Amino acid sequence: TMGLRGKFALALAIAALLPLAVGLIVLQTFGFHHLLATKGRQHEAEAAALARSLGSSVEAQAGNFWGWIAADPSMPDYISQMDSTPLDPLVIRGIEEKWPTLTEEGDPMLKALLNNPASLSLKRFASEHRQAAEVLVADNQGKVVAASGKTSDYDQSDESWWQIGRSLPERGMWTDALHFDDSAGVFSLDLVLPLSREGKQLGVSKLVLDVTPMFQRLRGSREEASDELEILLPDGNVLARSGSEKYRVQGQKLDG
């Protein structure tokens, strides 16, 4: 059995270690929660700053586009002079079916579309405003009538951006949700602007804005961090997750 001296020594040891153990528990519990709260505020500030940057970028590009049209009205001039007679839906469907296989060199219609005065103006705009990865205009029937390059579809009437753009007031604007453009390999926002002349709507224009540099700057500012960075969309989908080389596109939804 333990003697009186041993019991006394054990009691002293417990008394000495107990505050340390309690301190460690408190530190691990409250310190961890404090760390999480600090990290949360940091990420919230980064997200808010990124959202402000995206908003400012969109407004700046809309201003650039309106300024371009004012200085070079060849695009609205051309579209306002086009034949406004609606094209037969069967003809549109036939063009749409052949559209993926058409080339500018082999199809006179596509060549004319991409080299008319309106398209040439859009190409000049895109070359001087690098953030605009693609610019196109669809008329009031939804047909592409001008573009900086060949679009994925000829008929845009079934696209939500065109339908929303048709209902926008003059000088209005609308942006689609942030997404990843697989073909271009960039994060992008679609900026939609109605095109009008003297109160008459001519069609709807769409600027595909490359916002990849914003995310690259955000990732670069966190190169030393060991935690992983995710970009979440408002609907809960994970747009991308940071990795060692670049953001990995996820397209998945978080549980909960």
Side-chain angles (χ1 to χ4, degrees):
T1 60
M2 184 181 295
L4 181 61
R5 182 177 297 178
K7 292 179 179 180
F8 184 68
L10 179 61
L12 289 177
I14 293 175
L17 292 175
L18 185 60
L20 178 61
V22 172
L24 288 174
I25 293 173
V26 170
L27 180 62
Q28 288 182 347
T29 303
F30 293 98
F32 179 68
H33 288 306
H34 176 71
L35 177 62
L36 285 181
T38 302
K39 284 286 188 180
R41 288 192 294 270
Q42 178 185 351
H43 295 330
E44 185 178 4
E46 289 175 343
L50 182 59
R52 288 193 297 271
S53 296
L54 286 172
S56 298
S57 176
V58 168
E59 291 179 2
Q61 290 301 322
N64 289 338
F65 190 70
W66 295 130
W68 181 271
I69 292 176
D72 177 17
S74 56
M75 190 262 286
D77 284 348
Y78 175 80
I79 295 176
S80 64
Q81 295 168 7
M82 291 181 60
D83 184 1
S84 59
T85 304
L87 202 59
D88 188 325
L90 291 178
V91 175
I92 296 178
R93 188 182 305 172
I95 297 174
E96 182 73 5
E97 290 175 354
K98 296 186 298 182
W99 189 257
T101 63
L102 300 182
T103 62
E104 188 174 351
E105 296 77 15
D107 185 76
M109 186 208 74
L110 180 60
K111 182 176 181 179
L113 189 155
L114 295 179
N115 290 280
N116 64 43
S119 292
L120 294 177
S121 179
L122 294 182
K123 289 178 181 180
R124 291 193 296 271
F125 175 85
S127 67
E128 295 190 20
H129 300 84
R130 294 294 185 181
Q131 192 176 354
E134 181 183 34
V135 191
L136 64 100
V137 176
D139 67 8
N140 291 328
Q141 196 179 1
K143 308 185 305 293
V144 174
V145 292
S148 58
K150 184 185 176 184
T151 56
S152 57
D153 297 291
Y154 174 68
D155 181 16
Q156 303 289 328
S157 63
D158 60 342
E159 299 288 342
S160 60
W161 71 264
W162 179 85
Q163 296 167 3
I164 293 173
R166 287 275 292 146
S167 65
L168 291 175
E170 188 171 355
R171 303 286 291 189
M173 58 178 273
W174 176 81
T175 56
D176 198 357
L178 177 68
H179 58 278
F180 188 84
D181 190 310
D182 290 315
S183 60
V186 299
F187 292 101
S188 64
L189 277 172
D190 293 343
L191 171 60
V192 178
L193 305 166
L195 186 64
S196 303
R197 168 66 62 83
E198 298 178 351
K200 179 183 177 182
Q201 189 169 28
L202 304 176
V204 184
S205 53
K206 182 176 80 166
L207 286 71
V208 179
L209 304 180
D210 177 9
V211 296
T212 301
M214 295 184 185
F215 292 107
Q216 289 176 336
R217 289 196 298 271
L218 180 61
R219 181 169 63 91
S221 67
R222 302 179 56 79
E223 284 179 349
E224 302 300 324
S226 59
D227 51 330
E228 196 171 62
L229 180 66
E230 292 180 337
I231 302 171
L232 302 181
L233 296 176
D235 61 3
N237 281 302
V238 181
L239 174 66
R241 180 174 289 120
S242 61
S244 58
E245 297 295 328
K246 61 181 180 180
Y247 281 114
R248 304 190 302 276
V249 179
Q250 302 296 311
Q252 65 188 44
K253 192 167 186 175
L254 291 179
D255 294 329

